[in-house]
Amino acid sequence: MLNIGFTPDSDMDIPAGAECAWREGRIGLATLSATDLRYGWFAYRIDFEVGGHAFLSAAREPLVDIMFTLAHTLRSLQENGSAEIDFTESSYVIRLELTGGRVAFTSSHRAPAEPPQCAVEEYGAAVRAFVATGVAWLVENRPAIAENPALHELRALVPEAMPPNA
């Protein structure tokens, strides 16, 4: 079983240091840099569970960064047979390794004795669904973000996941 999901809440849409500028209209979601979106905005509870092991359980992470990171893991798995999900603000790393037609998951913290696995197709489908859901949620709740170049880049990384108007 593979579960990748997020629980949005408006409490963490805007970083603490940007609240005043946001309220005064000096910040526009269409023009925020990819770096800003990836490392400060829309920090939601993220769940990432494989085979009953919770690699992330309600961890508060920036949604856009997780979407980009997961999209890049698809490419890395295809090109290199391995990938990493690392967290800049900590030393936590989730490692992915292709083993036949399966992806094995290990981590730098609290790793299970036997690495949980899932089919490559299942992982790809879960990542594409997560990205599509995340982008759709952001665009529906913050329409100005639809024009942000970072979302265009994300769409290019996982084009088959994107609904036509997301």
Side-chain angles (χ1 to χ4, degrees):
M1 181 190 140
L2 174 65
N3 174 46
I4 306 171
F6 69 99
T7 305
D9 61 51
S10 61
D11 292 345
M12 296 300 287
D13 277 2
I14 303 160
E19 287 179 32
C20 183
W22 174 259
R23 278 193 303 272
E24 294 172 0
R26 293 183 283 132
I27 294 177
L29 291 177
T31 57
L32 275 176
S33 72
T35 301
D36 286 340
L37 281 175
R38 289 185 71 169
Y39 299 108
W41 292 72
F42 309 107
Y44 301 142
R45 289 184 301 276
I46 306 290
D47 294 301
F48 188 97
E49 182 181 334
V50 184
H53 179 78
F55 287 93
L56 296 174
S57 179
R60 196 170 280 282
E61 300 292 337
L63 178 61
V64 174
D65 188 45
I66 292 292
M67 290 191 297
F68 266 103
T69 300
L70 292 177
H72 283 294
T73 66
L74 293 178
R75 211 168 259 178
S76 290
L77 284 171
Q78 182 180 15
E79 294 172 2
N80 308 319
S82 64
E84 288 187 345
I85 302 168
D86 62 347
F87 300 87
T88 309
E89 55 287 332
S90 72
S91 61
Y92 187 52
V93 177
I94 302 168
R95 292 177 192 82
L96 294 71
E97 190 79 33
L98 280 181
T99 307
R102 300 191 63 77
V103 180
F105 298 82
T106 58
S107 66
S108 58
H109 299 61
R110 302 175 316 277
E114 185 66 31
Q117 298 183 10
C118 70
V120 172
E121 297 80 16
E122 182 183 6
Y123 180 68
V127 168
R128 287 187 291 278
F130 179 81
V131 171
T133 300
V135 168
W137 192 92
L138 288 171
V139 169
E140 181 180 318
N141 290 282
R142 301 288 186 173
I145 202 169
E147 298 305 316
N148 190 292
L151 257 56
H152 295 292
E153 183 183 340
L154 188 56
R155 288 180 183 105
L157 285 171
V158 192
E160 63 275 13
M162 296 298 115
N165 295 322

